[in-house]
Amino acid sequence: MPNPAADLTQKNADYYDKEATTYALDPSKLHLARLISTTILTSPSIPSPTFTESSTRILDFACGVGLLSQCLTPHAKEIVGVDTSARSIEVYNRRVWEQGLEASDMRGVCADLLSLGDEGEKPEQGVGKGSFDVVVCSMSYHHFHSISHATQVLTSYLKPSGYLIVADIARTPDTVRAFQRNEDIKEVVSHVGGLEVEEVRRVMREAGLGGVVVEERLRFKIRVRGAGCKQTHGHSHGHESGDGHSHGSGAGGHSHGDGHGHGHGHAHGHSHGKGGNHNGPHDGHGHKLEHKHEEKEKEAEAEEGRDEHPDVPGDKGGHPMSIFIAIGQKQ
């Protein structure tokens, strides 16, 4: 019998097998990973002891080539990236080696946790249920056949009191139009145009997560190309709503009462490797290549504000989009 979920998973694996090398070298995607990691690490909804180099285990689900893992590794004892794209995992692990990290610090595992149920669990590779302090999933939920099922599965990998953190595109008429203009994207994206924030909040609660907070912070322009999204530059707009709690703002923002936090500020994160080393890619002689990414980012920044939306940074001719960060704690 046809299995739409499995078919979609395989199409995504095939697509990102082809894109892995290019994706790893795209400075705009590294910039987006930095922006999301900074927002996560500075979130007032996550207690500061959560991310510690001495004890925190993180599962980076649908990790791709490991750009978010790379940004978070200075703040964790161990990060395990999981993806269905074998080629992406090869690039992930090669980058770990190039950065001089040990597999015990950061490693990628090719596995299908969603379609295979308990069979997808790989405890021998450190991917066991109930074993992670934090599970993150960045810019991938809109690819999943069922975000409810995905949330339940990812929650099962958390320790009690652990956090599930999801970053993705908030669905708006603008995002729907942007995605619908390209037929190819429908092959690998289940939720064209992004996700309804209220639906994400609902499925997190139904999965047994408490204190669910959805922070709509990141606003930038994305150009939809082929089956992927290109992001060039963004900034944060803090807006948080949760289960009756009062929260502060994003990086550089201000805190207000009445159960919501609002703020504005640029969130530019720079990652450093364990022991203070920069966590960027190296060349064959161990020299850092991150400055090349920064130069390209500056070129992208120079293109900001040159269209009909000058107040929203990003790709010239791109579509203004918002990324939400949803956070829930396992009860």
Side-chain angles (χ1 to χ4, degrees), residues 176-189:
V176 172
R177 283 193 295 271
F179 278 72
Q180 286 181 338
R181 289 174 182 172
N182 195 306
E183 291 296 324
D184 293 340
I185 203 169
K186 297 176 183 178
E187 292 294 314
V188 295
V189 171

Side-chain angles (χ1 to χ4, degrees), residues 26-207:
D26 189 334
S28 67
K29 292 181 173 61
L30 176 59
H31 178 78
L32 178 56
R34 287 172 168 172
L35 190 64
I36 290 173
S37 68
T38 299
T39 304
I40 291 171
L41 294 169
T42 60
S43 171
S45 304
I46 304 173
S48 57
T50 299
F51 293 94
T52 63
E53 188 179 347
S54 61
S55 62
T56 303
R57 295 192 78 234
I58 298 176
L59 170 62
D60 183 0
F61 183 71
C63 62
V65 297
L67 300 183
L68 184 62
S69 293
Q70 172 185 331
C71 296
L72 294 177
T73 190
H75 309 278
K77 179 180 180 180
E78 178 185 8
I79 295 184
V80 182
V82 172
D83 203 286
T84 58
S85 166
R87 178 56 180 156
S88 292
I89 292 300
E90 288 177 11
V91 175
Y92 184 112
N93 286 324
R94 188 184 72 227
R95 288 166 64 85
V96 170
W97 177 79
E98 289 173 345
Q99 293 167 40
L101 297 174
E102 299 293 335
S104 57
D105 297 326
M106 176 177 160
R107 65 185 177 279
V109 175
C110 187
D112 184 359
L113 302 187
L114 299 187
S115 298
L116 298 180
D118 289 340
E119 295 178 13
E121 187 179 11
K122 294 185 177 292
E124 73 281 2
Q125 297 186 52
V127 187
K129 293 188 175 181
S131 65
F132 291 94
D133 301 288
V134 176
V135 174
V136 295
C137 185
S138 177
M139 301 301 287
S140 297
Y141 252 51
H142 63 279
H143 288 265
F144 300 155
H145 180 72
S146 168
I147 66 168
S148 176
H149 174 65
T151 304
Q152 292 172 6
V153 171
L154 296 183
T155 298
S156 72
Y157 283 85
L158 286 170
K159 297 177 182 178
S161 300
Y163 287 90
L164 173 63
I165 304 170
V166 176
D168 216 302
I169 299 170
R171 183 183 177 91
T172 67
D174 283 340
T175 62
V176 172
R177 283 193 295 271
F179 278 72
Q180 286 181 338
R181 289 174 182 172
N182 195 306
E183 291 296 324
D184 293 340
I185 203 169
K186 297 176 183 178
E187 292 294 314
V188 295
V189 171
S190 180
H191 305 273
V192 175
L195 299 165
E196 297 286 351
V197 171
E198 285 303 318
E199 182 183 7
V200 175
R201 182 183 286 110
R202 175 181 59 79
V203 300
M204 292 183 84
R205 290 170 176 161
E206 290 176 351

Side-chain angles (χ1 to χ4, degrees), residues 256-301:
H256 302 279
D258 301 324
H260 299 279
H262 301 275
H264 301 275
H266 285 74
H268 297 283
H270 296 276
S271 65
H272 300 275
K274 300 192 183 276
N277 294 323
H278 286 283
N279 198 30
H282 297 58
D283 65 12
H285 302 286
H287 299 299
K288 309 295 186 293
L289 299 180
E290 190 159 317
H291 67 282
K292 293 184 179 179
H293 292 294
E294 294 173 352
E295 289 172 359
K296 290 185 179 181
E297 286 175 12
K298 289 179 181 178
E299 293 175 2
E301 290 173 13

Side-chain angles (χ1 to χ4, degrees), residues 208-220:
L209 298 170
V212 177
V213 173
V214 178
E215 305 175 353
E216 298 177 76
R217 294 187 175 194
L218 313 180
R219 179 80 170 163
F220 53 82

